[in-house]
Amino acid sequence: MRYWQTAVLGIGCFLLASWYSTSIVRGDDGQVLILNAATESIKNGQLEVCGQKFLFGEIEQGKTKAIQYKVRSDSQYKLEVEFNSGRKLEQKLGEVRSGLDFEDILILNDHEVSLTR
């Protein structure tokens, strides 16, 4: 009887460890759409979320750029952009929670970034 309890406990620990490691590696899915609502084009930029950095090139005025990422931890968005004029804008915003999927829109205007869910 004692061996049976040990076997059940061992199998339970194995299943728990497998589930935990799979959830960390796989993560949940996130997608963010960057909308350039400013009066000039974006020359280039970088988005950082959940420890992942995404570089992107030009986004014309009124156009969008979609970025997909894995939600691996609690985080927030950090967006840095450089406009064609050389002016730069950097902002941290929003909240991303592990265990959930996200579809957000970051709207850039001339002076700030706003988040729409």
Side-chain angles (χ1 to χ4, degrees):
M1 182 80 162
R2 177 172 270 183
Y3 296 112
W4 181 251
Q5 290 173 340
T6 304
V8 169
L9 182 61
I11 291 171
C13 288
F14 173 77
L15 292 174
L16 182 61
S18 296
W19 171 80
Y20 181 74
S21 63
T22 302
S23 66
I24 286 179
V25 170
R26 182 185 65 81
D28 292 293
D29 295 323
Q31 178 174 316
V32 63
L33 191 66
I34 300 171
L35 169 62
N36 182 5
T39 57
E40 61 179 306
S41 294
I42 294 170
K43 181 178 178 181
N44 58 53
Q46 174 179 293
L47 176 71
E48 184 175 344
V49 61
C50 296
Q52 301 159 77
K53 292 183 180 181
F54 302 94
L55 300 174
F56 56 88
E58 182 178 18
I59 304 175
E60 295 178 16
Q61 186 179 6
K63 300 292 182 181
T64 61
K65 172 72 177 172
I67 296 176
Q68 296 188 3
Y69 61 94
K70 291 291 184 185
V71 182
R72 296 183 178 144
S73 61
D74 292 352
S75 184
Q76 66 183 74
Y77 295 110
K78 179 181 179 186
L79 184 65
E80 301 173 13
V81 297
E82 180 180 0
F83 292 97
N84 279 344
S85 65
R87 189 172 53 85
K88 296 182 180 183
L89 177 63
E90 180 179 325
Q91 191 167 336
K92 292 181 181 180
L93 72 159
E95 188 174 5
V96 176
R97 297 252 182 210
S98 59
L100 300 172
D101 291 338
F102 284 88
E103 292 184 13
D104 294 327
I105 302 172
L106 299 180
I107 303 170
L108 279 93
N109 66 33
D110 288 326
H111 304 289
E112 67 181 4
V113 183
S114 60
L115 171 70
T116 302
R117 289 224 150 113

